[in-house]
Each structure stands twice: as structure tokens, then as C-alpha cells.
Amino acid sequence: MPGEGTKFTGEITVAARIIDYLSSGLYRNPAACLKELVNNAYDADASTVRIYVKPDADRIIIEDDGSGMTREEFVSHFSRISESHKRDGSEATKSGRPKVGKIGIGFIAANELCEVIELFSTKAGSADLLHVTIDFSELKKPIEQRRRPGGIFKAGYEGTVTETAKADHYTRLFLRGVKGGAKGILAGARAQVKNRDARSLYGLNAKSVETELKKPELKTWKDFDTYSETMLRVALNVPVQYHANWMPARFRKRVASFEKAVKKLDFSVSYDNTELRKPIVFSPHGRSLIVPFKHVGKNVSARGYFYAQHGIVRPIELQGVMIRVRNAGVGEYDSSFLGFPQSEFSLIQRWVSGEVWADDRLEEAMNIDRSTLRETHPAYVELRTTIHEALRKVFSRARKNIYSVESDIRRDSEVQKQAKNLALTVSESASVLGPKVASNLKRAWARTAKRPTERDQLLKRYQISELYEVVIQAAKEVLDRRQMGRFLDELTRRLRQ
């Protein structure tokens, strides 16, 4: 790196109102932390982000070709968390992207992954190279020892400004001293499911990842190792494109606007050289349908789609509804569909997956972790009500056009199978029955199989008592008492075998 330059030091503090979140762990898993850092690059107008985790996750590198930052911008953005200046002057980046970050907490999320961050950043047209080392070791001290006027000490930093080429513009983060739990998840190559070989996406290109996600035996992302699961969870939440064939071809026109919207963002992320795409891939093995969703309301507006198929949506991580605001995911799929009653359409709920893009008014309902929503906020309440109304129509349509139709198809197939087996049985006994009786039997049941109002007779199941009732009544009409007794004795013997 360039030689000595202007040195500076400082402290990062957080507002007291969010210290409880930060102390207890704001993010559920390493993927949630990484997606915050990726979204920071997105807000810096980066077109390319590269994440390097392998071989052992001892050090994580995240680099982007975004606008970079100066010393003054760093101090302004990060000296006090929850008072971010990211949206000062504009809600959008210079390229027109709606900014994802708001209170500046995303960058500091890295403290849940590592002990130290090294940052190198420069802006196009500037010869200044910013180098900052952020040390989170002070977090081990009690809060009482870290109190400052107006906030809580979060980390200390040391920085220098040296010279570099004016044409450069980038930001590179080096996360050093990756913590044990996070390290095990990020580099994990072991199977997560007992008695099952580990599957990994490491080293695959986007097309191969899509192929893996389409395999019918894939039940859950946990069928992969933790390294791959983390990769998929990052991809789900950041504004990357969809896979080339993520949706059945007949539905592509219905979702084309969503594909075009993310493509227009011109944002790509690679994870150890694997290009990330949204890990949403549907490969139905039966009937399916798609229903557009649109709402224009007093407190929130939104648009999206609901996809339904015959059978459970797999992997199970895609069951439910995914909410997106400003192109970034709010957590993961909510399998409860924002609390839709479990007693309604309980079977079909697992057959449906949807995405909903809400406008900026829903952002006010987001909790500080950007993964959950406040259920009492007017925007959330309105959106939930509207989604539930739409879902009742989706579920009803799926039951009628998928469940009922598939049930009729299976029933018809079983009727034809039973008719064929009956005809075969009669043919094998034709020498005993005689040609006339055999022909009459075949013809009678063949007619029954073709008549919608009668065909279910071929599928009727009898209890033993019901069978005897039918047989005895028939025997009375054609057999004398002695013959009937012998017949019933033989029938009983065979049924008990």
C-alpha cells in the first residue's frame, strides 16, 4: 500500500435507543450481516461486488466498484450510528437507485462476524486513499465503561489518508479475526442433515446453481452445507437478478416487469466467484398457476405475484410470502403469509409462494434489523389485510384449478386401471364363465367406466359385512340353499386366507 499519510483516530458510538439490540445480537445469522454490507455497496452505486470466504473463512473480503468514500464521509456516516447521513439531500443514489440503508447500522453489523475491519476506499477523480482500521475489542467491556455523552462507545478506529491513482474508485473491506461460530457456518462443508451426504454450491456457475435448485429431491436449503445455505440467504435478500429459467416459461410474461426492474439496477454479486442470483426457482411436476397482485392504498401500495403448484413448494424456504422494500428483502419468506389463519386452506397454503414489492411507506414499519415488521403500523396492517384478501382468492383458485383437477385426473386414471384389471380377470375365467357371461361382464363394466355418474362404482370399497350382504342377496336369486351354503363357505375360506 502507499506510504505514510495523514493520520486520524476516533470513536464509533451508537444511540442508547438501539444499544440493547446491538448488545444481544441484532442479526440471526452470518448471512444477515453479509447482506447488510452488500447493500451498503449497492447504496454506493456499485455495479459489482465480490465476496471471498473460502478457503477457511478466517478472513472475509468484500470489495466493490462503488463511489467510495472520503475521510469526511466516513466520519460523518459512522461516528454515530442511528444518525446516518446516507439520505441527506436525496433518497436515491446518483444513478437513481432508491437507497436501502437509512440509519447507518448495516456497516457496524460486521461486529457480529469479526473482531477487526480494515477498510480501503477511494473516489474517482481523487488521489486520496482512505485506510481505516476498526477495532471491536472494546465491546468486551461492560456498557458502564463504554458510556459517552449521548451514546455508547461501540468501536475505536484509526485511519490514514495516502495517495493513489485518480482513476480508481472502490471500497475493500477485510474482516479479520472472524469469530468461531460465524467461521464454522461460513466455511462449513459438513452435512446438516443426518445420514445424508453434504451437497455444496461452492465453485458452481449460476446455471449449475439453478440446476441444483431444480432437483426434485431438494427438500430444504439445509440439504446443502452451511457455506451454501449462507450463500443462498445472502442472494435472497440483495438486489441481484433472477435465474435464467426460474419460472415456468408459460408464466414468464406475468413476471417480466419484476425481471426487468432488477436487471435495470445493473447490480451483480459474486460469492467466491459464483455469481449470485435470487435463489427462487420453481419447477412444478403437475399443474400450476400464477396470480398477479396489486394494491394502491391509503397507507401503502404494493405489487407482486402469487405462484401456486400441485404439491408442496420446495425447498421449503420458498413457502410463504417475501416482502421487498427498495429492492431489498425484509427478512426471508414468511410461511405464515403475515399471519393468515392456519385453519383456512391449510393444505394448499404449502403449495403457494409469492413476492410483494411495497412502496417506501412500508419502510417506516420495519424494525431496526430490517428483517421484521411492526405488526401495529398502519402500513403493515393495510398490506396484511390486502394480502389476506388476495390469498383467499388465490387459494380458492388453486383448490379449484389444481387440487380438484388433479384429483379428477387421478380418479379417472384409477377408474381405467380398475376397468382394465376387471376385464383381465374376466378373460382369464372365460372358460369357466362361458363366452356369453364373460362378454356381458366386460361390456357392463366398460360402460360404467365411461359414464361420469357411474364410474365411481369401480372404485367403491366394501367392508366385509357389506360384501356379504351383496353376495347373499345375489345368491338367493340364483342358487338353492345347499348351493348357496357351499358357495358362502368357500367365499369365507378365501376371504380369511
Side-chain angles (χ1 to χ4, degrees):
M1 303 304 296
E4 287 289 316
T6 304
K7 292 185 178 181
F8 61 98
T9 62
E11 295 182 349
I12 296 175
T13 62
V14 295
R17 71 183 180 91
I18 63 171
I19 189 62
D20 287 340
Y21 288 100
L22 290 171
S23 298
S24 61
L26 182 60
Y27 298 100
R28 292 189 301 172
N29 50 52
C33 300
L34 288 176
K35 63 100 172 175
E36 290 291 348
L37 299 176
V38 172
N39 284 336
N40 276 351
Y42 172 84
D43 284 347
D45 264 340
S47 59
T48 303
V49 180
R50 297 183 179 89
I51 304 172
Y52 298 99
V53 174
K54 288 290 191 179
D56 56 9
D58 187 55
R59 181 183 69 171
I60 301 170
I61 303 172
I62 303 172
E63 60 181 32
D64 68 68
D65 61 355
S67 58
M69 70 178 75
T70 64
R71 168 186 170 175
E72 290 73 24
E73 289 171 332
F74 175 85
V75 173
S76 174
H77 291 334
F78 301 114
S79 286
R80 182 171 171 81
I81 302 302
S82 88
E83 293 182 356
S84 175
H85 299 275
K86 291 180 74 173
R87 297 192 186 178
D88 285 357
S90 176
E91 290 283 314
T93 67
K94 289 184 178 180
S95 70
R97 294 174 179 170
K99 294 176 182 176
V100 174
K102 185 175 183 180
I103 66 171
I105 202 170
F107 181 79
I108 215 66
N111 82 92
E112 296 188 25
L113 294 178
C114 65
E115 300 289 351
V116 176
I117 298 179
E118 268 196 286
L119 176 148
F120 295 90
S121 190
T122 185
K123 297 178 75 76
S126 171
D128 291 343
L129 173 63
L130 175 68
H131 175 204
V132 181
T133 301
I134 304 171
D135 187 353
F136 295 112
S137 61
E138 289 290 316
L139 280 175
K140 298 175 183 177
K141 295 180 179 180
I143 288 180
E144 290 72 20
Q145 298 180 24
R146 297 189 282 114
R147 292 193 183 279
R148 301 289 189 272
I152 306 296
F153 176 76
K154 182 70 175 176
Y157 62 80
E158 294 182 356
T160 60
V161 178
T162 56
E163 291 187 4
T164 187
K166 285 189 176 184
D168 293 342
H169 61 98
Y170 58 81
T171 297
R172 294 183 185 131
L173 298 178
F174 295 82
L175 279 58
R176 296 194 280 107
V178 177
K179 297 177 181 179
K183 182 177 179 180
I185 293 172
L186 289 164
R190 294 182 299 176
Q192 300 191 73
V193 181
K194 283 186 177 181
N195 304 318
R196 195 175 298 176
D197 293 335
R199 300 168 63 178
S200 184
L201 303 176
Y202 175 63
L204 301 184
N205 58 29
K207 184 177 181 180
S208 296
V209 171
E210 180 185 333
T211 299
E212 288 295 317
L213 294 176
K214 280 187 173 182
K215 289 185 175 178
E217 65 268 24
L218 180 66
K219 309 301 182 187
T220 169
W221 288 347
K222 292 191 180 298
D223 288 346
F224 295 111
D225 55 21
T226 55
Y227 168 90
S228 303
E229 184 185 2
T230 299
M231 179 195 297
L232 294 171
R233 293 190 185 280
V234 172
L236 181 66
N237 277 275
V238 299
V240 293
Q241 295 186 46
Y242 290 92
H243 280 284
N245 299 294
W246 68 288
M247 183 70 75
R250 63 186 179 280
F251 299 145
R252 291 295 292 275
K253 287 184 178 181
R254 311 292 290 275
V255 294
S257 62
F258 306 121
E259 293 179 358
K260 291 177 181 177
V262 291
K263 187 175 182 179
K264 186 178 178 181
L265 297 173
D266 187 29
F267 185 67
S268 67
V269 181
S270 66
Y271 200 97
D272 287 325
N273 295 318
T274 293
E275 181 187 358
L276 296 188
R277 297 289 183 94
K278 283 183 172 58
I280 304 170
V281 177
F282 300 117
S283 185
H285 298 282
R287 296 178 66 86
S288 57
L289 60 84
I290 193 166
V291 180
F293 171 80
K294 186 175 181 179
H295 170 69
V296 178
K298 176 182 177 181
N299 299 299
V300 68
S301 294
R303 65 191 186 97
Y305 69 87
F306 288 105
Y307 164 87
Q309 66 177 39
H310 182 258
I312 296 173
V313 170
R314 299 188 189 278
I316 60 174
E317 286 78 7
L318 301 185
Q319 293 177 15
V321 61
M322 179 76 185
I323 306 296
R324 299 189 185 277
V325 177
R326 290 179 166 246
N327 299 302
V330 181
E332 298 175 353
Y333 277 85
D334 180 354
S335 60
S336 77
F337 293 98
L338 308 186
F340 190 88
Q342 293 184 349
S343 59
E344 297 183 41
F345 305 96
S346 55
L347 171 65
I348 295 175
Q349 283 191 39
R350 296 188 297 166
W351 295 10
V352 176
S353 177
E355 288 184 275
V356 171
W357 283 259
D359 66 15
D360 292 354
R361 289 176 288 175
L362 188 66
E363 191 176 39
E364 295 302 319
M366 279 197 291
N367 289 313
I368 199 170
D369 60 359
R370 292 191 60 85
S371 296
T372 54
L373 295 160
R374 296 199 305 278
E375 296 184 4
T376 57
H377 192 281
Y380 177 88
V381 173
E382 182 178 315
L383 182 63
R384 178 182 60 193
T385 300
T386 306
I387 285 178
H388 287 184
E389 291 172 354
L391 281 170
R392 286 187 174 90
K393 295 178 182 178
V394 172
F395 294 149
S396 179
R397 184 172 167 185
R399 182 170 61 185
K400 178 181 179 181
N401 296 344
I402 297 178
Y403 179 78
S404 298
V405 171
E406 289 285 347
S407 179
D408 288 345
I409 291 173
R410 289 195 305 272
R411 183 178 292 273
D412 184 65
S413 176
E414 186 62 25
V415 165
Q416 300 306 319
K417 178 181 176 182
Q418 291 299 325
K420 183 178 179 180
N421 290 341
L422 181 57
L424 181 62
T425 299
V426 171
S427 295
E428 291 175 346
S429 304
S431 60
V432 177
L433 297 171
K436 184 177 180 180
V437 172
S439 178
N440 288 341
L441 285 173
K442 288 182 183 180
R443 190 161 47 248
W445 287 109
R447 285 197 301 267
T448 299
K450 293 178 180 179
R451 294 172 178 170
T453 57
E454 298 179 7
R455 64 179 187 173
D456 282 357
Q457 294 176 14
L458 278 160
L459 303 179
K460 190 172 182 179
R461 296 179 183 274
Y462 290 88
Q463 298 289 334
I464 287 292
S465 59
E466 294 174 326
L467 176 64
Y468 271 97
E469 183 179 352
V470 172
V471 169
I472 290 173
Q473 291 299 323
K476 284 181 180 179
E477 299 294 326
V478 296
L479 301 176
D480 60 33
R481 181 172 294 185
R482 182 168 177 274
Q483 290 173 325
M484 187 169 68
R486 291 178 60 194
F487 171 71
L488 291 175
D489 284 344
E490 181 62 19
L491 176 65
T492 300
R493 185 184 69 80
R494 289 176 179 269
L495 289 175
R496 295 183 64 189
Q497 285 181 347

